Each structure stands twice: as structure tokens, then as C-alpha cells.
């Protein structure tokens, strides 16, 4: 299928597909004789996984670090992410992102508490 159809099937835009390809998250697709990109169901499934991971708070840079392992989630969407392994590049991405989210939650909780102390509330 052409880029517009593949993007629609994955719930995104052709521009996003080109961006994922440029960033190394999506392998370069086959090309037609006229040079147009052509995608199959495997590429659409991969884009869906990429979008799900981005929606969960991972960044494009996080995914670049583990781009070679995105296919594992395409094949088995219910698979859990493994434990960090210091010998594997990009390992620990999820743990680092969780730690960053926890730090941001703590920061916002403290900010909220400080604001609540300064706010006059009517009984």
C-alpha cells in the first residue's frame, strides 16, 4: 500500500511515517518503479507499536536506542519489557523513563502543595 493508505491504517500521517524512517524507527520501505514508498502489514503494525510506545511517554530518542527490538513487540504485543542488561545498548529505557516520570510527579506534587498554601480558600 502507498504511504497515505499505510498512514491511515496506522492512525497517523504520511509525514509521521517519513519522520520515523528518518529517525531509524522504521526501516526504509520498498519502492515502486516510480520511486514511491510501498508498505505492507508488517510496517503498519510496527508504526502502531511505535505510536503506542510514544503515547505511553517514551520519546523518539528512547525508541531509537531500542529500534532493533521494536519488532519483538510487533510479533508479540503482550510481551513485557525485560529487565535492564548492561551489555545491551539502550537497555533500561523503560526504567529510566519511569524514573523521570516519578521525578516529575514529585516535582508537581510539591509545586501543588506550595500553591495550595498560598491560595486563599473560602470556607
Amino acid at each position: 500500500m502507498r504511504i497515505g493508505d499505510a498512514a491511515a491504517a496506522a492512525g497517523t500521517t504520511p509525514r509521521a511515517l517519513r519522520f520515523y524512517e528518518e529517525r531509524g524507527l522504521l526501516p526504509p520501505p520498498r519502492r515502486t518503479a516510480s520511486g514511491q514508498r510501498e508498505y505492507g502489514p508488517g510496517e503498519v503494525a510496527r508504526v502502531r507499536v511505535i505510536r503506542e510506545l510514544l503515547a505511553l511517554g517514551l520519546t523518539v530518542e528512547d525508541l531509537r536506542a531500542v529500534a532493533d527490538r521494536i519488532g519483538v513487540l510487533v510479533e508479540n504485543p503482550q510481551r513485557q519489557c525485560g529487565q535492564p542488561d548492561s551489555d545491551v545498548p539502550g537497555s533500561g529505557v523503560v526504567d529510566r523513563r519511569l524514573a523521570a516520570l516519578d521525578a516529575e510527579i514529585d516535582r508537581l506534587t510539591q509545586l501543588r502543595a506550595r500553591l495550595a498554601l498560598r491560595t486563599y480558600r473560602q470556607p
Side-chain angles (χ1 to χ4, degrees):
M1 69 184 86
R2 301 281 166 84
I3 194 168
D5 295 330
T12 192
T13 64
R15 184 175 179 182
L17 295 186
R18 288 189 289 272
F19 176 78
Y20 298 153
E21 182 184 341
E22 289 169 7
R23 295 297 188 264
L25 304 181
L26 188 62
R30 294 177 303 278
R31 299 277 184 155
T32 64
S34 62
Q36 294 182 331
R37 291 171 170 88
E38 204 160 70
Y39 297 89
E43 287 90 357
V44 171
R46 185 177 179 96
V47 171
R48 286 181 181 146
V49 168
I50 290 167
R51 290 181 48 77
E52 178 185 2
L53 294 171
L54 291 171
L56 288 171
L58 294 175
T59 66
V60 169
E61 289 305 312
D62 291 335
L63 295 182
R64 282 184 70 181
V66 294
D68 61 325
R69 292 183 272 166
I70 293 173
V72 173
L73 292 175
V74 172
E75 293 170 13
N76 183 0
Q78 300 306 315
R79 183 179 175 131
Q80 292 186 345
C81 298
Q83 294 295 330
D85 181 348
S86 60
D87 295 336
V88 178
S91 182
V93 166
V94 171
D95 286 337
R96 285 192 299 275
R97 184 57 49 205
L98 287 171
L101 288 171
D102 288 340
E104 183 66 3
I105 289 167
D106 289 344
R107 185 187 74 78
L108 290 171
T109 300
Q110 292 172 17
L111 183 64
R112 186 199 183 287
R114 289 196 330 256
L115 179 60
L117 289 173
R118 290 195 166 266
T119 304
Y120 172 74
R121 296 182 188 220
Q122 299 249 347

